[in-house]
Amino acid sequence: MVRVIMHGCNGAMGQVITAMARDMEDVEIAAGIDLRNDRENGYPVFSSLEECDVQADVIVDFASAKAVDGLLDYCEKTHMPVVLCTTGLSEEQLKRAEEVSASAAILRSANMSLGVNLLLKLVKEAARVLAEAGFDMEIVEKHHNQKMDAPSGTALALADSINEGMDQAYHYVYDRSEKREKRDPKEIGISSVRGGSIVGEHDVIFAGKDEVVTFSHTAYSKAIFAKGALEAARFLAGKKPGMYQMSDVIG
């Protein structure tokens, strides 16, 4: 049995993961961490990791970017593995995660979905063919009106995957309103839409002369991310210190 501390247990994703874990035979939410404690989750909830006295194998984090600093400090001190799902992290926080991975196993992914992680591979391969043939590349992402960060971590991961396949030859453009000039052939445009209850949509557009190739992924519920996070927790429990990715989970 893998015992999990749910960091951000009373947030939207924390509640989805809590519900899903109840139906899993080999994963158990042993405790939760959240500043708000107004729900009955079936496990003890603490306001901080330092207050938590429950034994566990791994932390699953779906809290907020501002809570990640303390989380990483805790994992460095205790060597506790963590599935780091929170998006919108700063460059300093990402660097800090790399440092902490010398002391604890850290699995970080901009998106926990199996489909998205397959898409990351596909767009890298497509770019090597289509970008070389002169296709322009654009990414359009859509999310609900409560999402704090823009562009989404997944959109940036898709751009990074493309750029990796192209030897980092491209730069990213998020806003064209202040310039009046033709599109730079070496740019990847990233556009964000926020509205309603859209769970998550990502389109990667390869636009060439007289033809367009589009890769699309649509999330219809948060359950796909919860499933991925719990699979990652099961994978990471007991692992040696280091940085891991969802590609390690799905093999």
Side-chain angles (χ1 to χ4, degrees):
M1 177 70 69
V2 175
R3 291 170 59 81
V4 175
I5 294 175
M6 184 65 235
H7 191 247
C9 63
N10 287 331
M13 277 305 306
Q15 288 295 291
V16 175
I17 291 172
T18 294
M20 183 171 288
R22 294 191 186 107
D23 297 327
M24 297 180 70
E25 295 181 355
D26 56 350
V27 176
E28 174 190 15
I29 308 294
I33 309 296
D34 208 295
L35 292 175
R36 190 181 71 191
N37 190 7
D38 57 356
R39 301 187 182 190
E40 178 52 53
N41 292 311
Y43 50 75
V45 176
F46 303 88
S47 60
S48 71
L49 284 162
E50 287 72 21
E51 294 178 10
C52 180
D53 58 0
V54 177
Q55 294 295 314
D57 303 301
V58 60
I59 297 171
V60 172
D61 166 62
F62 258 113
S64 64
K66 64 183 180 181
V68 166
D69 294 333
L71 169 64
L72 291 174
D73 289 344
Y74 177 85
C75 292
E76 183 177 48
K77 180 174 62 178
T78 62
H79 311 294
M80 176 73 79
V82 58
V83 180
L84 192 59
C85 305
T86 295
T87 60
L89 303 185
S90 67
E91 289 298 321
E92 291 77 11
Q93 287 175 314
L94 295 176
K95 182 179 179 181
R96 176 66 176 141
E98 289 282 353
E99 294 172 352
V100 174
S101 69
S103 302
I106 296 180
L107 189 150
R108 179 185 170 270
S109 177
N111 192 298
M112 304 306 295
S113 155
L114 173 63
V116 165
N117 281 277
L118 176 60
L119 182 60
L120 290 170
K121 295 177 62 176
L122 293 176
V123 297
K124 180 188 292 188
E125 295 174 6
R128 288 171 177 155
V129 176
L130 299 176
E132 289 287 357
F135 281 61
D136 296 321
M137 296 175 288
E138 296 280 322
I139 298 171
V140 179
E141 57 96 349
K142 305 174 186 177
H143 283 86
H144 53 85
N145 57 21
Q146 300 300 301
K147 187 170 178 59
M148 302 293 287
D149 55 314
S152 69
T154 299
L156 290 172
L158 288 164
D160 288 345
S161 186
I162 290 170
N163 215 6
E164 183 179 334
M166 300 307 296
D167 297 323
Q168 307 298 331
Y170 286 74
H171 63 275
Y172 307 159
V173 173
Y174 309 101
D175 181 11
R176 296 190 176 95
S177 64
E178 296 183 1
K179 294 183 179 181
R180 294 184 61 81
E181 59 186 31
K182 291 182 179 180
R183 187 187 195 280
D184 184 344
K186 291 297 184 182
E187 73 181 44
I188 299 174
I190 305 177
S191 303
S192 300
V193 175
R194 296 288 176 267
S197 59
I198 302 170
V199 176
E201 299 179 13
H202 292 86
D203 292 329
V204 182
I205 303 164
F206 293 87
K209 184 174 176 57
D210 299 326
E211 63 176 328
V212 176
V213 178
T214 303
F215 291 83
S216 298
H217 179 274
T218 302
Y220 291 103
S221 82
K222 291 181 171 65
I224 64 169
F225 312 125
K227 177 64 174 175
L230 288 170
E231 290 296 332
R234 182 158 53 185
F235 165 85
L236 200 63
K239 287 291 188 295
K240 295 179 180 179
M243 286 296 297
Y244 298 85
Q245 303 175 0
M246 278 301 289
S247 58
D248 298 313
V249 179
I250 62 180

